[in-house]
Amino acid sequence: MPSNLILFGSTLGDTERIAGRLAKLLPGETRLASVATFRMASLMDFDRILLGTSTWGAGDLQDDWESAVGQLRGLDLTGKTVALFGLGDASGYPDTFVDGLGILHEAVSKAGAVRVGYWPTDGYAFDASRAVVEGRFAGLVLDEASQSHLTEERLGRWVREL
Ligand SMILES: Cc1cc2nc3c(=O)[nH]c(=O)nc-3n(C[C@H](O)[C@H](O)[C@H](O)COP(=O)(O)O)c2cc1C
C-alpha cells in the first residue's frame, strides 16, 4: 500500500494534470485517484494525504467534491498529515479566487489531521478568497489560466516544504 494519496476533483483536467505532476515530485509511493470514484473511508489507509480541487460557478467546489466533502467532515484524521492544493483563475474570478480550496480547508480543519502546506499570498492578484486563512492560503494555489509559467517552480517549492 503506498503511503501517499493524491485525491483530486477536476472538470477539464487541469487539477488532474497537476495531481500527476505532484505524484512524480513526491518522495515515496503515491496513489493518484479521482474523488469521483474514490471511497472516502479509504483515506484512512494513507499516512500523507494531498487533496486538490478547482473552483467552479462563483466560488463553488469542483462538482465531484460536492458529496465527498460531507464525508470528509465526518472523518477522524488524527495522526494523518494533510496538505491541500487548489486551482483557480485570479483574473477571471478575482472575488472568489480559489474559494474551493477554502471549502476543503473548512472541511478538514475539524478532522484532527496535522495540516501542512500553507502558502503565501504574495504574487497573486485577487480581491477576495475564502482560501485565505490567517494571511496565508490554506494550501498551494495554482493559476493555469494566467500564471502557468510559475507552476513548475511553485510545485517544486511546495513539495520541498511538505
Ligand atoms: C464557468 C467557470 C467558473 C469558474 N469559477 C471560478 C471561481 O469562482 N474562482 C476561481 O478561482 N476560478 C474559477 N474558474 C477557473 C477554474 O477553476 C480553472 O479554469 C481551473 O484551472 C479548472 O480546473 P479543472 O479543469 O481541474 O476543473 C472558473 C472557470 C469556469 C469555466
Side-chain angles (χ1 to χ4, degrees):
M1 177 66 69
S3 55
N4 303 317
L5 170 70
I6 303 178
L7 187 62
F8 61 85
S10 182
T11 300
L12 297 179
D14 289 344
T15 310
E16 180 169 9
R17 275 188 289 278
I18 293 298
R21 289 167 72 176
L22 279 171
K24 292 197 181 107
L25 292 171
L26 266 187
E29 234 189 300
T30 300
R31 167 144 177 229
L32 196 55
S34 165
V35 71
T37 51
F38 188 77
R39 269 184 58 250
M40 290 303 278
S42 305
L43 274 185
M44 308 313 289
D45 298 341
F46 300 88
D47 298 325
R48 181 157 61 172
I49 301 163
L50 275 58
L51 306 176
T53 186
S54 49
T55 297
W56 282 85
D60 299 331
L61 263 180
Q62 193 276 335
D63 276 357
D64 297 329
W65 271 109
E66 288 294 350
S67 62
V69 76
Q71 298 170 58
L72 194 58
R73 287 190 190 100
L75 291 176
D76 177 4
L77 297 177
T78 305
K80 308 289 180 190
T81 300
V82 174
L84 308 177
F85 61 100
L87 275 77
D89 173 359
S91 48
Y93 305 89
D95 297 323
T96 54
F97 182 48
V98 289
D99 275 11
L101 174 63
I103 298 170
L104 276 191
H105 166 77
E106 289 154 25
V108 295
S109 61
K110 293 185 187 75
V114 177
R115 289 293 328 284
V116 297
Y118 288 84
W119 190 249
T121 57
D122 310 339
Y124 300 86
F126 64 98
D127 295 323
S129 173
R130 197 167 163 179
V132 177
V133 180
E134 292 172 12
R136 298 174 301 170
F137 285 123
L140 174 65
V141 168
L142 299 171
D143 183 340
E144 292 295 273
S146 50
Q147 294 190 321
S148 62
H149 59 292
L150 299 177
T151 295
E152 189 70 33
E153 190 271 333
R154 285 171 172 167
L155 284 171
R157 188 152 50 100
W158 189 63
V159 166
R160 282 194 297 278
E161 287 176 12
L162 291 181

